[in-house]
Amino acid sequence: MSCCVVMGRNTNTPFWINVEYQMDALETYSPRKEIEPAGPYINTRVRVDGPIPPDPEYLEIHFYQDHIEAAISGPSGPSPPRLKLQSRSDFAR
């Protein structure tokens, strides 16, 4: 879930946003058994760099192993995933 960013027409980059997230629980595929519980909620500030498109529609949050990035995209939609992680094990997701 994400909500909300209100930007004025003359908003300039860079600016900062607050992001709250939680690491998901690790579960087996069958039966759905929890291997690791979900972590606590983490609050962090993330810098949003430009450019801002003339008709912004999406706030993108990209999670990497060592940092988080934010970007704003237009009506063509969010950019595709930038990083594909391998599964931690054959039986868990």
Side-chain angles (χ1 to χ4, degrees):
M1 180 180 100
S2 63
C3 184
C4 300
V5 174
V6 178
M7 296 174 40
R9 293 205 179 275
N10 54 354
T11 299
N12 294 316
T13 57
F15 61 89
W16 294 85
I17 60 171
N18 294 319
V19 175
E20 181 181 76
Y21 64 98
Q22 180 182 35
M23 300 298 285
D24 219 357
L26 182 63
E27 299 178 348
T28 62
Y29 277 120
S30 179
R32 292 188 65 102
K33 179 180 176 187
E34 192 173 273
I35 299 172
E36 294 177 21
Y41 281 94
I42 300 167
N43 292 292
T44 190
R45 289 179 55 77
V46 178
R47 180 178 159 143
V48 181
D49 290 315
I52 297 175
D55 46 359
E57 289 193 19
Y58 298 94
L59 171 64
E60 303 177 19
I61 306 295
H62 298 274
F63 292 89
Y64 295 92
Q65 291 177 333
D66 60 346
H67 69 284
I68 300 173
E69 294 179 6
I72 297 176
S73 56
S76 60
S79 63
R82 299 177 184 182
L83 177 67
K84 183 174 181 177
L85 299 175
Q86 292 183 343
S87 174
R88 289 169 55 172
S89 69
D90 291 338
F91 61 91
R93 65 180 179 110

